[in-house]
Amino acid sequence: MQEFRNISVVLVQTSHPGNIGAAARAMKNMGLSRLILVNPAEFPSGVAVGRAAGAVNVLESAAVVDSLPEAVADCGLVIGASARSRRIPWPMLSPEQTAQQVAAECNSSAVALVFGREDSGLNNEELQLCNYHVQIPTNPDYSSLNLAAAVMVLCYELHKVSLSIEETTLDTYHDWDQDIATGEQVEHFYQHLERVMVAIDFHDPENPRQLMQRMRRLFSRIRIDVMEMNILRGILTNIEYNISKRDK
Ligand code: SAH
């Protein structure tokens, strides 16, 4: 069995502490331990401890952060679980493909599996921080799973893959000469890109027409590495420099 490292389960603004406890239990059952809570309504919580049963250590070591960008700042692969499809289509994985993708990358960079709020799921901005979305196939007339049940399905798929593979067989970026860019590095790039597109009058923030969403989707598809990102940042910096020279 391969030990999966570097995998976090991220729960965004969970309202019911019982779901946090049940998610921690599902994680430990399936061999995962890194839990990140983004703005939970109630945590720490006795109810969560009760539902976690023998997985209290997962709760005790959970990190609590203020925002999803903060939770995924160090991640090279971010996968968001969503019961619904969205306005701009995004690369989708099945639960089985999710487990394969995570196994292929978790030895080379940190990975996050992101789950949304009980009432409204993940918002569009949060979904756009993800490289892929995963939808668990369900009854189309009643598609939304309980949060901890959704965590269990994906952790179980991961555990099955970990039981079946040899170390490095799936490690896509094993021999890569550069690290894959992290969530934080990619966020800085998007901000820089937006600034330059405004400066060259390509992008009108008053009339954005989904431009930034489409740029995010483009770059999140290609798993850009740190060197490639630096080249693009360098190009943007030179464009800015040349604009400022021209305007003098
Ligand atoms: N009513 C919400 C669903 C919230 S369920 C909505 O319509 O979006 C809480 C979380 O569990 C979701 O944000 C998602 O991360 C996960 N989840 C529930 N059902 C799922 C499914 N069928 N596929 C993938 N994730 C699911």
Side-chain angles (χ1 to χ4, degrees):
M1 177 180 138
Q2 186 187 350
E3 277 282 312
F4 283 149
R5 295 177 288 267
N6 285 335
I7 303 170
S8 302
V9 168
V10 181
L11 306 183
V12 177
Q13 279 196 339
T14 310
S15 341
H16 301 295
N19 280 334
I20 299 177
R25 181 174 185 171
M27 288 170 62
K28 187 164 177 179
N29 283 144
M30 297 302 148
L32 295 181
S33 59
R34 287 172 56 170
L35 177 61
I36 304 180
L37 304 171
V38 178
N39 260 329
E42 193 187 325
F43 192 81
S45 144
V47 176
V49 169
R51 289 289 297 279
V56 174
N57 63 313
V58 175
L59 293 182
E60 284 168 352
S61 59
V64 178
V65 299
D66 288 332
S67 69
L68 185 56
E70 204 181 320
V72 302
D74 67 338
C75 291
L77 173 65
V78 181
I79 302 181
S82 175
R84 290 178 288 165
S85 47
R86 302 287 156 162
R87 206 154 44 120
I88 295 193
W90 213 259
M92 292 291 305
L93 298 174
S94 68
E96 294 83 356
Q97 290 168 326
T98 297
Q100 297 286 334
Q101 192 74 36
V102 170
E105 297 194 33
C106 69
N107 287 319
S108 1
S109 55
V111 175
L113 296 174
V114 183
F115 298 84
R117 301 157 187 82
E118 291 95 331
D119 54 350
S120 57
L122 295 166
N123 64 33
N124 283 336
E125 232 167 69
E126 290 159 347
L127 284 163
Q128 285 162 21
L129 292 170
C130 302
N131 301 106
Y132 297 94
H133 298 163
V134 52
Q135 192 168 11
I136 300 164
T138 48
N139 175 357
D141 296 331
Y142 188 53
S143 64
S144 173
L145 272 74
N146 164 266
L147 170 60
V151 171
M152 177 50 112
V153 170
L154 295 190
C155 291
Y156 176 57
E157 290 299 335
L158 256 176
H159 187 57
K160 282 199 294 186
V161 170
S162 79
L163 290 173
S164 66
I165 62 171
E166 295 293 320
E167 187 100 36
T168 77
T169 48
L170 282 171
D171 195 352
T172 314
Y173 291 102
H174 186 61
D175 288 327
W176 209 251
D177 56 343
Q178 297 290 324
D179 289 338
I180 299 300
T182 64
E184 188 176 27
Q185 290 162 338
V186 179
E187 273 315 301
H188 287 146
F189 166 68
Y190 291 137
Q191 285 162 19
H192 198 172
L193 178 64
E194 183 162 23
R195 215 164 56 228
V196 170
M197 290 196 304
V198 169
I200 62 173
D201 290 333
F202 185 79
H203 175 38
D204 176 4
E206 301 296 315
N207 181 23
R209 287 174 304 138
Q210 300 183 326
L211 178 63
M212 285 317 295
Q213 284 101 309
R214 289 186 184 280
M215 289 294 106
R216 280 177 177 274
R217 188 174 67 171
L218 165 63
F219 287 102
S220 79
R221 282 212 306 278
I222 52 178
R223 327 309 320 291
I224 200 156
D225 72 33
V226 169
M227 175 69 83
E228 293 159 346
M229 186 112 283
N230 286 343
I231 293 169
L232 289 177
R233 292 290 300 269
I235 294 171
L236 293 174
T237 302
N238 273 32
I239 293 173
E240 282 178 318
Y241 173 72
N242 279 285
I243 293 173
S244 71
K245 260 199 338 202
R246 185 195 63 191
D247 290 348
K248 267 189 199 135

